[in-house]
Amino acid sequence: MDSIIVVPAHCAGPADQIRLGPGETLAFGRSPQPTATTAAARPGRRLTIAHHGVSRTAGDITATGTFWTLSNRSAQQTYVVENPEGAGEHIKVAPRRVDAPVPFEFSRVVLPAADELLSFDVCAPRHDYFDPAQPPSGIAAYGDTTTLAFPLDRGKRYFQVLAALCEPRLRGAPHAPLPTVDQVAERLRPHWPAAGRASVQWNIDYLAVKLRLKQPPESADAGPRLNGKKESLVSLALRFDLVREADLAPLDRTPAR
């Protein structure tokens, strides 16, 4: 699985996203140039932000196994990395800071640029865990971490989308038609006011990659276009109990005012 997925501003779809594997680096800026830091990156791994207020080489993003780091090459500007789902949670990356670790699964990198703020998103879908069967007596007792087959966080919006998709069949109608994207957005709107067709569809696309139903577009093994994406997601989720009836309870709660 990819370590991180970079979603540029005005991204039109998965083909415009940039995927990085462990150890790969992406330079970003007005006209980013290859540097010694980006030597490990594949040719052309640059994100151009065409704005006169952004440095030519503003910074670097480096993927690790399960998280990513941000290097700020600006001599004056502090960058902010927000957690869009964290009610204001954020970290600051000071000028010239190298390899600041970012702990969020979903992140928004905010760059001050002249008289406005520019941003792009970064996702870190990979989760690794220690194998509970291994003894906890010191680091030497542990082997390699275990890559979770279905790395889902029940507190994230993508899980709410998956639960809403599974809801009709979990409510006792195993052959019920799946809700449309618009119906899912309407179901989630009391808890997620910004829910709309585009945001729900983005989460469905993200789930397809996260659960390995669809390879990234640039993969040599990407295969044909995935048809019936919602049906495939729901079938997988119910077959392996990724979503249970108890997971529907948050959908029925009255949101706090």
Side-chain angles (χ1 to χ4, degrees), residues 7-8 29 37 50 69 87 89 95 98 100 102 104 125 128 132 137 140 151 162 169 182 195 198-199 226 250:
V7 184
T37 305
T69 64
E89 186 179 18
V98 176
V102 178
F104 312 132
D128 290 348
S137 56
L162 184 59
R169 296 183 183 181
D182 290 328
S199 55
L226 180 63

Side-chain angles (χ1 to χ4, degrees), residues 36-49:
T37 305
T38 61
R42 293 185 296 209
R45 306 298 278 182
R46 305 182 190 118
L47 172 61
T48 299
I49 304 173

Side-chain angles (χ1 to χ4, degrees), residues 6-12 16 47-49 118-121:
V6 180
V7 184
H10 311 299
C11 176
D16 294 332
L47 172 61
T48 299
I49 304 173
L118 305 179
S119 67
F120 59 89
D121 294 340

Side-chain angles (χ1 to χ4, degrees), residues 66-86:
T66 58
F67 69 101
W68 55 283
T69 64
L70 175 64
S71 295
N72 182 353
R73 292 183 171 274
S74 171
Q76 300 177 338
Q77 299 285 5
T78 293
Y79 299 159
V80 174
V81 183
E82 301 174 342
N83 176 5
E85 299 187 351

